[in-house]
């Protein structure tokens, strides 16, 4: 699934054209298009979302746009008030800290379950995904591959509800990394995880993951506190 | 009074739910989603049951549109399943999903509880006692129970964790109404442990309790799936 892939060079028009044919109802289409535009950084944290403009871009009336914004409010990506309009939800450093703490809890649990339950076939697939990460050059597509790696990993845990929540949280902080226009370092975390699975050392992998996420959390919070950071008008 | 009516109050009908909810909401959409959510969580609409959209629109005196938009929101909360041509049904949970939801509840609720026990002061303890009494009142019901747990976990100041916990609780609570014996005094037991002031002790008790409920629930759901 590449729907939430972080690619910065797209526009709302491009998303609209691609998405319009895929959905049963206009509202579903509007939700999917606006969600993707937020997660891919086209609309940045704190940015106002104007209903008329969205309606024009998506070729709909304003009514399904309102319904879509309400649903995205419920999902936590948008703040929508009937009187003051809608904006992309901005997070502060305390939000980021909480999201990463939540991710540590959920991802270490999913990782442990994945290490216990992964089948030889799934491990082969995961290894292939890790090899791709090693050889592929840095950039948006590399991030997409990394997303796929973690999806395969956590799917092996067979905890579908946990996995869904993990990816929601990952997407929510992912849009912050995008909005900061930080060049992602091509990391090698996937190797550490593969090694831990092969040696069956769940505890080591969990500890490493918890440390890693804590460091990333601190780094993101530090960057958000810098004066030119977005979401701080 | 049977302990079961703590949560479900079989005497509560959809009509009464609509009447009691109406004054509390600013927008039509909030009202509609809240009524349908409560009706599902309290068991008025059972897992797998088709949701009567025309009847709901009539009762709430709204058009079909806010009903659809509420159903989509409830779909994202995991309570409703929308079908392309067959309307909407109450989502049922498989034994695996119940396990997964309880594993997450254990992780998140023990986390929030530890924070709460570490942070709680005397005033907050008194407020929780008042909320606990409301749960035990003859018509305490689901709202009082939700208020108690929301207040308890909110003391730890982890708002996102709390809203996730409350959503998971809402998803599974409709399945636990038959487990009245197991859960009827949970809030009191929990409060006693919070009062002792040891985060680890409280978390350990909660984890053991949730594991027991999850096990009981899996047995029940598996039993129903086998037609027993």
């Amino acid at each position: 699934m590449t729907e939430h892939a972080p690619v910065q060079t797209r526009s709302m028009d491009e998303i609209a054209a691609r998405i319009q044919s895929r959905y049963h109802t206009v509202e579903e289409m509007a939700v999917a298009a606006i969600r993707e535009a937020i997660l891919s950084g086209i609309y940045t944290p704190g940015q106002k979302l104007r209903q008329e403009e969205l309606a024009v871009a998506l070729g709909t009336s304003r009514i399904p746009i309102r319904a879509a914004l309400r649903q995205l409010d419920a999902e936590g990506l948008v703040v929508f008030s009937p009187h003051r309009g809608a904006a992309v939800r901005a997070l502060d450093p305390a939000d980021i800290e909480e999201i990463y703490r939540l991710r540590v809890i959920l991802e270490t649990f999913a990782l442990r379950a994945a290490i216990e339950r992964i089948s030889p076939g799934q491990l082969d697939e995961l290894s292939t995904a890790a090899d791709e990460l090693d050889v592929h050059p840095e950039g948006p597509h590399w991030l997409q591959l990394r997303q796929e790696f973690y999806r395969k990993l956590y799917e092996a845990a067979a905890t579908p509800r946990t996995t869904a929540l993990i990816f929601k949280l990952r997407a929510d902080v992912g849009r912050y990394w995008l909005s900061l226009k930080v060049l992602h370092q091509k990391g090698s975390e996937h190797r550490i995880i593969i090694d831990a699975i092969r040696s069956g050392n769940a505890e080591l992998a969990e500890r490493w993951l918890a440390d890693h996420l804590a460091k990333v959390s601190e780094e993101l919070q530090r960057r958000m506190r810098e004066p030119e950071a977005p979401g701080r008008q | 009074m049977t302990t079961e009516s703590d949560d479900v109050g079989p005497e509560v009908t959809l009509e009464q739910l609509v009447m009691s909810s109406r004054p509390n909401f600013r927008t039509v959409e909030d009202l509609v989603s809240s009524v349908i959510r409560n009706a599902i969580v309290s068991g008025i609409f059972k897992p797998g049951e088709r949701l009567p959209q025309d009847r709901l629109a009539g009762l709430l005196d709204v058009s079909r549109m806010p009903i659809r938009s509420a159903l989509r929101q409830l779909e994202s909360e995991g309570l409703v399943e929308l079908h392309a041509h067959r309307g909407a049904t109450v989502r049922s949970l498989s034994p695996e999903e119940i396990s997964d939801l309880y594993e997450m509840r254990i992780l998140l609720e023990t986390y929030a509880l530890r924070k709460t026990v570490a942070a709680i002061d005397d005033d907050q303890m008194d407020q929780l006692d008042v909320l606990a009494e409301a749960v035990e009142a003859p018509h305490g019901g689901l709202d009082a129970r939700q208020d108690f747990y929301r207040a308890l976990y909110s003391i730890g100041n982890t708002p996102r964790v709390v809203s996730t916990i409350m959503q998971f609780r809402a998803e599974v609570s409709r399945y636990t109404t038959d487990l009245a014996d197991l859960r009827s005094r949970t809030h009191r037991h929990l409060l006693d442990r919070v009062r002792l002031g040891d985060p680890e002790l409280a978390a350990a008790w909660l984890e053991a309790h949730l594991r027991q409920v999850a096990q009981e629930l899996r047995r029940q759901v598996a039993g129903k799936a086998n037609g027993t």
Side-chain angles (χ1 to χ4, degrees), chain A residues 70 98 101 159-162, chain B residues 29-30 100 158 160-161 171:
Chain A
R70 286 195 60 82
E98 198 192 0
R101 275 176 200 242
T159 53
R161 302 300 307 265
T162 310
Chain B
E29 287 90 343
D30 286 342
D100 194 14
T158 55
R160 234 179 222 84
V161 177
E171 275 194 70

Side-chain angles (χ1 to χ4, degrees), chain A residues 74-87:
Chain A
E75 286 179 24
L77 285 177
V78 163
V79 185
F80 184 41
S81 125
H83 306 295
R84 275 175 299 164

